[in-house]
Amino acid sequence: MGIARGAALVVLFLMAGCGQGGGDAEARQAGSTPSSDQASRAPEGNTTATTSTTTASSTTTATSTPTTTPPTTTPPTTTTRPAPPAVRDLDLRAATYRLLCPDGEVDVDLRAPSSPGPSGPVTVDQFEPIFGEVTGDGREDAIIHITCIFADGGNAAAAAVIVVSSEPDGLTQVGQPIDGYAPVVVGSRFVVARAVYGPDDARCCPGATAHVPMTLDAGRWIDGGGGDAVGTDELITTSGLGALRIGAPYAEIAAETGQSILVEDPLQSDGACVYVSIDSLPEVHGLGGDGALHSIEVDDPAVRTRSGLGIGSSAAEVEGAFPGRIGVEPHPYDEAGQYLVFTPADEPGRLVVFETDGAVVNRYRVGEPSWALAIEGCA
């Protein structure tokens, strides 16, 4: 009898616990949460009751709408700058650029009729863009040949080359204006032409032109740099001497060597026949025409052919290196001298002309036939 009553009490107690857990579940299903007063009425010190309540509540919640908003994590703030538009798609004239003008560097607004300069208003006369990736950021740039003149007339003008990049906030000029004109892009570099005046040259007619490769260094453009300089350790072939390649344009040679190429036109031939030189090889000269190198003349004993021939080689050594393939012609100014002419079997458009005094070679030329045989150069 006592055992039965005790069992009944336990059953009632358990039923009471299940009823309270069901009430909490109904409250959750209705979209509310238990109040603190309801929570305070949970039996204290009864592990079994607490466990039963928790179990009932968990089971109900798993099949109903969650009553507690899951914790949220605020995503990290990221700033993504929009990709800049292609520089070709922009109006390159809708900007202000720092230019070389007749009286110095001036900020010129191309959108305005003129801009103030130290000696009077200035404006732009010439504006010729070309395009290439030359700043190292992987995006195409505009390289612009631009001429500044006085807005109120006169014949004073200043040519410059500027580099313009497209950024998310608009056009940006990279570096300073560069003294030069007629830029040429070669790979990831560009080369400018620059007038070089001799002591007797009129302002209209410079006697030489330097082709100068440009390098961006700490935000400024500097002359030269980069490339593979040509030295006397190079072996000369019928194709040329290193980057001094027969048939190569002057700008390509400048870009590949990282050095200025000087082109002299003493006869004012408008580039039809010119002398070509490079600073690193003072005793090596070339003949060029129409913008490209056509032959190389060597006066430096250190520069040798692949056969080991050069200044000081004997006539017998030249003929022995190419048995049966050397043509002999008289020297027009030295009765004892000769021209020993080698024509490669696989390159009929090339010659090597060894000039001798009758005993040894005192200079030689490689290149295209008519140019290599031009013993008086451009005279």
Side-chain angles (χ1 to χ4, degrees), residues 135-154:
T135 57
D137 62 3
R139 294 184 286 111
E140 195 174 49
D141 309 294
I143 304 96
I144 307 170
H145 173 198
I146 192 166
T147 302
C148 181
I149 61 174
F150 286 119
D152 55 1

Side-chain angles (χ1 to χ4, degrees), residues 231-238 240-242 284 298-314 317-318 352 354 361 364 366:
T232 56
D233 56 339
E234 299 271 3
L235 294 177
I236 194 166
T237 70
T238 51
L241 181 63
V284 174
V298 179
D299 292 295
D300 191 331
V303 179
R304 316 299 285 186
T305 71
R306 286 189 297 190
S307 300
L309 302 174
I311 307 301
S313 294
S314 68
E317 288 175 326
V318 173
V352 183
F354 297 94
V361 175
Y364 63 99
V366 302

